[in-house]
Amino acid sequence: MTLGELKLNDEEGRLRALERLEILDTGKERPFEAIVTLVEQVLSVPLCAVSLVDRNRQWFKAKRGLTETQTARDISFCTYTIEQTDAFIVPDAKADPRFASSPLVVSGNRIASYAGIPLKTLDGYNIGALCAMDTKPREFKPHEIEILSSFAKMVINEIELLEVATHDQATGALRRQAWIAKSEAELKRSLREARPLSLVILDIDKFKSVNDTYGHPAGDLVISKLADTCMENLRDYDIFGRYGGEEFIALLPASNLDEAVAVAEKCRRAFEASRTDVTETEAVRCTVSVGISLLRSGDDLNMLIARADEALYAAKAAGRNHTMTESGSISEVEALSA
Amino acid sequence: MSNTALQIVADVTASLPSGEMPESIVETIESHKQNLMTLAAALHAAGNKETYIKTVLATSFASFENELSNTLRTLKESGEIK
């Protein structure tokens, strides 16, 4: 079995690759809109979409002619496309037993024919498809498939650019501006739905001494170690970003202070227990201080960050390697071990 | 067609920014150029005229260029490139 075939069968890896892009449920973006417009015009199709295939649904990043923003995965054509290395074509959906009774075929947009090209990321996973559909049976010609394939690769180019623009390339965390944009949307949602929301700021202790002793490349390795540690211990739906040089920030949806402390403590303890190889023969062990705030009625993001920052300052003042909440209470775990 | 496709791609990508760029961006730009070449050849094989092919490629490139500019601006602001 080739590596490509292994990745076709690695559904969890595929879902992680999709999740890393943080593109699901995002708004309209011009590059993707431009590509579906071109597909619609060049191939003369009434229906087309950039479809991203999540665990149980397909979600459309851009679409033309389709009424839904998403559909169940098990009725979708694109779930078949992502199992392919090249085009998946259905010339007559009503004559194909896999789709003949699908709601997408017998009602709604009445898809009668389909051509989809897998959207394959640089790390080799098919995260979705660029698809062109017609409301009548249609034989897609080889040059039409070639055109659709070129547009599919352009979708991937756009996703790559977006990824560089929104993610810190050294650590994989969201860049500050991208983190703020996502977090502001989540904060508004939490206020609207009256759900708890916590914010965690983490800052590496005595980081300057790592740089001074081992040099900046070693410091960069320690920063990456903290980012990796946080990403391993945060939850799928937490929003994690690099806020400054050695400072990271995470927004924890649906989390009260106790839950936030539990998550933050997992990160702090895991980082404390880890070592970073800074040379072939030397490894350093660093710690991190953590400040946590809880969303209050009337808060904006800056207010939430400011209170977490104050708590971080208090954690540093308390001797570093602590988790402190905005109420000034040292984390329970720390209190017990003090 | 390959010479024509080359010329069309060269024309529509003439405004690409130059200067220091991370390797990942350079690779994406090269990949995009290659995709434009393939698209030009496929549109030609479908019997389209050169003016139409140029329009499609220019539209395809414009949105990419816009996103590229945004990305390079972000990298400059973060100090990753000068």
Side-chain angles (χ1 to χ4, degrees):
Chain A
M1 190 178 278
T2 65
L3 188 58
E5 287 167 335
L6 276 174
K7 293 210 166 171
L8 281 179
N9 295 321
D10 178 11
E11 175 64 5
E12 289 305 314
R14 193 191 72 76
L15 289 168
R16 279 195 300 276
L18 177 58
E19 187 187 301
R20 272 197 299 275
L21 295 171
E22 305 199 48
I23 192 173
L24 285 170
D25 301 310
T26 54
K28 281 187 180 180
E29 286 175 272
R30 196 157 59 174
F32 304 101
E33 295 298 316
I35 290 173
V36 289
T37 298
L38 283 167
V39 170
E40 179 187 34
Q41 291 172 353
V42 175
L43 297 184
S44 298
V45 286
L47 311 165
C48 61
V50 173
S51 166
L52 300 172
V53 181
D54 201 359
R55 189 180 296 276
N56 296 312
R57 61 173 177 158
Q58 66 168 341
W59 177 80
F60 303 126
K61 175 63 186 168
K63 63 191 172 85
R64 290 291 178 273
L66 294 165
T67 49
E68 305 91 343
T69 55
Q70 61 184 16
T71 79
R73 178 173 171 176
D74 57 4
I75 61 166
S76 75
F77 291 74
C78 293
T79 195
Y80 289 88
T81 309
I82 63 166
E83 293 170 1
Q84 316 279 316
T85 54
D86 47 20
F88 177 65
I89 302 167
V90 182
D92 185 352
K94 280 188 179 166
D96 188 318
R98 291 170 295 183
F99 304 109
S101 60
S102 165
L104 298 174
V105 175
V106 297
S107 59
N109 297 298
R110 298 188 183 278
I111 298 168
S113 51
Y114 170 98
I117 309 291
L119 296 173
K120 184 178 176 184
T121 58
L122 277 182
D123 51 2
Y125 289 104
N126 290 345
I127 54 167
L130 176 66
C131 54
M133 295 150 284
D134 210 330
T135 50
K136 55 185 185 297
R138 173 169 173 163
E139 295 286 345
F140 286 93
K141 299 185 181 78
H143 70 260
E144 291 178 318
I145 298 303
E146 189 74 20
I147 290 168
L148 193 60
S149 296
S150 297
F151 284 130
K153 286 173 186 161
M154 289 180 193
V155 171
I156 289 296
N157 290 154
E158 299 288 359
I159 288 173
E160 286 165 9
L161 280 184
L162 203 59
E163 215 265 338
V164 173
T166 55
H167 289 77
D168 174 47
Q169 297 300 286
T171 63
L174 283 170
R175 292 182 187 277
R176 186 183 176 117
Q177 284 308 317
W179 181 87
I180 288 172
K182 284 197 75 169
S183 295
E184 281 183 337
E186 181 57 46
L187 185 143
K188 282 178 188 165
R189 192 160 35 239
S190 297
L191 284 172
R192 198 169 55 240
E193 297 171 3
R195 284 190 302 154
L197 177 80
S198 293
L199 187 143
V200 175
I201 296 183
L202 309 99
D203 187 90
I204 299 171
D205 297 323
K206 297 182 179 175
F207 181 70
K208 187 174 179 300
S209 70
V210 176
N211 275 341
D212 290 346
T213 309
Y214 300 100
H216 286 274
D220 290 344
L221 291 171
V222 172
I223 287 171
S224 290
K225 174 69 81 176
L226 175 58
D228 290 345
T229 304
C230 290
M231 287 189 276
E232 283 165 16
N233 288 284
L234 289 169
R235 294 133 342 154
D236 290 348
Y237 49 88
D238 295 331
I239 303 170
F240 180 63
R242 187 170 179 184
Y243 202 59
E246 70 271 25
E247 195 171 43
F248 289 88
I249 192 161
L251 198 75
L252 277 51
S255 304
N256 59 30
L257 270 184
D258 286 345
E259 289 161 330
V261 165
V263 172
E265 275 294 285
K266 274 176 74 180
C267 295
R268 186 192 64 76
R269 287 175 169 260
F271 186 60
E272 182 185 25
S274 71
R275 284 170 177 270
T276 307
D277 295 324
V278 290
T279 68
E280 283 187 5
T281 54
E282 290 175 286
V284 294
R285 180 178 283 178
C286 292
T287 59
V288 65
S289 295
V290 186
I292 304 177
S293 59
L294 178 69
L295 182 67
R296 299 175 191 167
S297 172
D299 265 353
D300 62 23
L301 193 59
N302 285 334
M303 295 157 85
L304 198 58
I305 292 171
R307 292 202 304 277
D309 223 10
E310 284 172 18
L312 172 65
Y313 185 79
K316 295 275 187 189
R320 302 185 179 88
N321 193 22
H322 282 78
T323 294
M324 197 78 85
T325 67
E326 64 170 78
S327 59
S329 64
I330 200 164
S331 67
E332 189 182 351
V333 178
E334 280 302 314
L336 288 172
S337 62
Chain B
M1 177 59 192
S2 59
N3 281 342
T4 312
L6 263 175
Q7 190 54 53
I8 293 174
V9 172
D11 287 348
V12 299
T13 61
S15 57
L16 264 175
S18 56
E20 183 197 357
M21 283 187 221
E23 191 60 28
S24 60
I25 298 268
V26 173
E27 285 171 13
T28 301
I29 291 172
E30 285 310 312
S31 167
H32 194 73
K33 279 185 176 178
Q34 189 56 49
N35 295 333
L36 289 172
M37 286 281 295
T38 312
L39 178 60
L43 287 167
H44 180 72
N48 293 293
K49 291 186 176 161
E50 193 173 317
T51 48
Y52 178 73
I53 298 173
K54 268 188 183 171
T55 304
V56 172
L57 262 63
T59 309
S60 304
F61 182 69
S63 65
F64 176 83
E65 189 181 30
N66 184 55
E67 199 59 40
L68 178 64
S69 299
N70 290 341
T71 302
L72 291 176
R73 194 179 313 121
T74 300
L75 294 179
K76 277 180 190 164
E77 284 168 3
S78 69
E80 287 174 56
I81 58 172
K82 289 171 187 162

